[in-house]
Amino acid sequence: MDVNSHAEELASDLGVDKEEVKADLQNLLEYSVPIDEAKQSVRRKHGGGGGGSSPTPDAVDVGEITTDNDGVTVTVRVLTQGTRTIRYQGDDLTIREGEVADETGVISYTAWQDFGFEPGDSLTIGNAGVREWEGEPELNLNDSTTVAIADEAVAVDREVGGDRSLVDIAAGDRGRNVEVRVLEVDEKTISGRDGETEILEGVVGDETAKLPFTDWQPRSEIEAGADLRIEDVYVREFRGVPSINLTEFSTVTPLPDPVEVAEDAPRLSVADAVASGGMFDVEVVGNVLEIRDGSGLIERCPECGRVVQNGQCRSHGDVDGEDDLRVKAILDDGTDTVTVVLDDELTAEVYGGDLDDALDAAKDAMDKEVVADDIADSLVGRAYRVRGNLSVDDYGATLDADEFELADDDPAEHARAALAEVGE
C-alpha cells in the first residue's frame, strides 16, 4: 500500500501539511483500520467533512474488482446478510456482512453501519472501499459509502438467502442458515475477552454432513437430540475444518419434523479429501506405508496434553510426562498420502494390549521403541478403512481417526475408480 500517494491526495484536498497527514494515516493503519476508514478519519480531523473533494468512483463490474482498487461503485443484488458484534479498537461494534453479486461474479462485503438492505435487494453502492479479506477483495461499506435501490432489478445466477446444507458450509461464510439435529453438546467455561465466559460446544448433523459448533450465547433449545433451524451463523476454521458459530444475533427455532442425519461419512480418495482443505467427518481407504516417529509409548504434558520431547513441553518447559499410547501412520491409496493419528484406545486395539501391557513390554526389553516396532509389524503393508476428522495445514494432512479397521476392499482399485470419475 502506497501511504505516500494517499497522504499526498489528502494533503492537497485539505490544504494541510503532507507529513502530518501521513503520520495520522500510518497511526491508524497500525491498528488495522481499513484505508478508506483511515482517510475519512483524517478528513474529519482536519475539518474536511465525510466525503472530501474526491469524485465518486466509476461504476465497475464485480468481476473486475481487485485489491488494487481504492473505491468502487457497483450495482448488485444482495445474496446474504449476517450480523455480529466485533471488538474494534477497544469498542464493541455491530457489523453487517455477507455477499453481493452481479452477472460477472460474487464478492463479500462488510458494512460498518446499518444501511437497511436485505437479501434479495438490488442496490447501487457508491464509493465502497476495497480491502483484502482471506486473500480475496472485499467491499468495505463505511460512512462515505452511499446505498440506493437500483433502477432495475439485478439478475444473478446465484442462490439468494443463507440457507445451506452442512456439506456446502465453508470457513469464512457469513449469514448462513442451517437445519440440523444436535448430536453432541457440552457446556464449557472459557477465558474470553471479558473474563470467564459460558459457552456451548458440540456437533450438529444433517443428511449431508456433520460439523462442530459453538454457541457464544448458550441457549436452552440447544440440547442433544433437538431438531433446529438456526439462522444467521458465521463460519470459521477450527482445527482445519469449518465450525459453525452462533452469536447474539443468531436465532434458534425448534423444527416440527426430525432432521435426517447421515450415518455414513463420505468416502473419498485421499487426494480429494486433502484437496477439500479439511473435513470434519470423512472416510478413506489405503495401505499403511510406515509408522512415524512419536508412535507407541509416548509422554504427555500433565498441564496441556502436548507430547513431551526429552522431558520438555513446548508450552510448560520441564515437566514430568505422563505415559500414553499413540500411533502416527502414513496411509497411501495411490492418489496421495495422509498421516493417520490413533488415540490411546484405538492404539490399544491395534497393539493388542493396554498401557500397562506396553509399559511391561518396554521394561522387559529395556527399550520403549519395542512397542512402536510391534505396532509397525502389525500394521505396515495392510489396507485399512479410516474414518475421522481431517485437517490440512502447512505441515501436511492429518486424519484424527475415530474408526480404524481392516479394509474389506482394495484401496488401489478405489483410487483408480475415483480417478476415472474425475477423468470422465
Side-chain angles (χ1 to χ4, degrees):
M1 181 185 298
D2 187 358
V3 178
N4 276 316
S5 62
H6 290 297
E8 187 171 346
E9 174 195 345
L10 284 171
S12 176
D13 288 345
L14 299 170
V16 296
D17 180 68
K18 173 186 171 182
E19 292 305 315
E20 182 179 356
V21 170
K22 181 178 178 181
D24 290 338
L25 278 178
Q26 288 177 325
N27 182 56
L28 291 166
L29 293 173
E30 286 178 0
Y31 286 94
S32 300
V33 177
I35 184 62
D36 292 297
E37 294 267 327
K39 289 166 70 174
Q40 294 306 316
S41 179
V42 173
R43 286 186 186 279
R44 289 191 292 270
K45 174 182 176 181
H46 293 281
S53 59
S54 299
T56 300
D58 292 335
V60 299
D61 291 332
V62 167
E64 299 174 354
I65 299 173
T66 72
T67 53
D68 292 331
N69 294 108
D70 286 331
V72 296
T73 293
V74 293
T75 298
V76 294
R77 191 169 188 188
V78 182
L79 301 182
T80 59
Q81 177 173 273
T83 306
R84 63 186 174 111
T85 299
I86 64 170
R87 182 65 58 87
Y88 187 75
Q89 291 189 323
D91 296 324
D92 288 330
L93 298 179
T94 299
I95 61 173
R96 281 81 183 171
E97 53 189 358
E99 294 176 326
V100 295
D102 64 13
E103 62 181 4
T104 69
V106 178
I107 190 169
S108 63
Y109 70 86
T110 295
W112 296 82
Q113 63 189 66
D114 186 0
F115 288 94
F117 57 76
E118 297 179 351
D121 289 346
S122 293
L123 308 172
T124 295
I125 303 174
N127 201 29
V130 181
R131 65 175 181 176
E132 182 176 320
W133 174 256
E134 296 188 347
E136 299 293 335
E138 178 182 80
L139 297 181
N140 195 52
L141 282 55
N142 50 47
D143 58 4
S144 66
T145 302
T146 61
V147 176
I149 298 296
D151 294 334
E152 297 180 0
V154 178
V156 295
D157 185 21
R158 308 280 179 173
E159 184 176 356
V160 175
D163 288 7
R164 297 290 187 276
S165 297
L166 292 184
V167 72
D168 297 320
I169 293 291
D173 284 350
R174 283 83 62 87
R176 296 293 189 235
N177 312 317
V178 296
E179 294 189 355
V180 296
R181 172 170 290 182
V182 181
L183 304 177
E184 303 172 19
V185 61
D186 291 308
E187 297 180 6
K188 290 190 176 181
T189 301
I190 64 169
S191 297
R193 65 191 183 190
D194 297 316
E196 289 193 345
T197 302
E198 301 293 327
I199 65 171
L200 297 179
E201 287 186 340
V203 178
V204 293
D206 66 11
E207 64 179 356
T208 68
K210 298 173 185 176
L211 287 179
F213 77 88
T214 299
D215 182 5
W216 298 93
Q217 303 281 328
R219 295 161 170 85
S220 59
E221 299 94 335
I222 298 180
E223 58 183 6
D227 297 296
L228 306 171
R229 177 175 174 82
I230 307 176
E231 298 184 346
D232 196 357
V233 302
Y234 74 96
V235 186
R236 66 180 183 181
E237 184 178 291
F238 178 67
R239 294 180 180 174
V241 301
S243 176
I244 293 173
N245 286 256
L246 286 71
T247 74
E248 61 190 292
F249 298 100
S250 303
T251 60
V252 177
T253 305
L255 293 171
D257 299 316
V259 174
E260 295 294 328
V261 177
E263 294 296 328
D264 298 323
R267 178 180 288 193
L268 301 179
S269 69
V270 174
D272 286 343
V274 172
S276 74
M279 297 183 69
F280 183 70
D281 189 24
V282 66
E283 182 177 284
V284 298
V285 176
N287 291 95
V288 175
L289 295 186
E290 64 174 300
I291 301 302
R292 292 184 56 186
D293 291 341
S295 296
L297 267 175
I298 62 169
E299 292 185 347
R300 294 189 182 276
C301 173
E303 297 293 328
C304 65
R306 293 179 184 271
V307 175
V308 173
Q309 300 284 351
N310 300 319
Q312 291 286 317
C313 171
R314 285 185 293 171
S315 298
H316 298 95
D318 288 325
V319 295
D320 291 327
E322 297 180 342
D323 293 315
D324 198 7
L325 289 173
R326 180 183 71 173
V327 171
K328 296 175 69 176
I330 304 299
L331 193 82
D332 186 335
D333 74 342
T335 68
D336 205 344
T337 62
V338 62
T339 299
V340 174
V341 179
L342 309 185
D343 64 11
D344 57 341
E345 293 184 3
L346 288 176
T347 299
E349 289 181 16
V350 299
Y351 175 59
D354 59 16
L355 178 61
D356 288 337
D357 295 323
L359 290 170
D360 289 341
K363 182 179 179 181
D364 291 341
M366 293 185 292
D367 183 4
K368 293 176 66 173
E369 295 301 317
V370 68
V371 178
D373 291 342
D374 287 345
I375 292 172
D377 289 342
S378 174
L379 301 187
V380 171
R382 306 180 78 180
Y384 286 87
R385 180 189 67 84
V386 190
R387 180 175 179 176
N389 302 331
L390 176 73
S391 61
V392 182
D393 56 26
D394 292 339
Y395 299 98
T398 301
L399 182 59
D400 289 315
D402 296 320
E403 299 176 9
F404 185 81
E405 299 176 349
L406 280 168
D408 55 7
D409 45 15
D410 182 3
E413 183 60 35
H414 272 286
R416 285 191 290 271
L419 289 173
E421 289 181 8
V422 173
E424 290 178 353

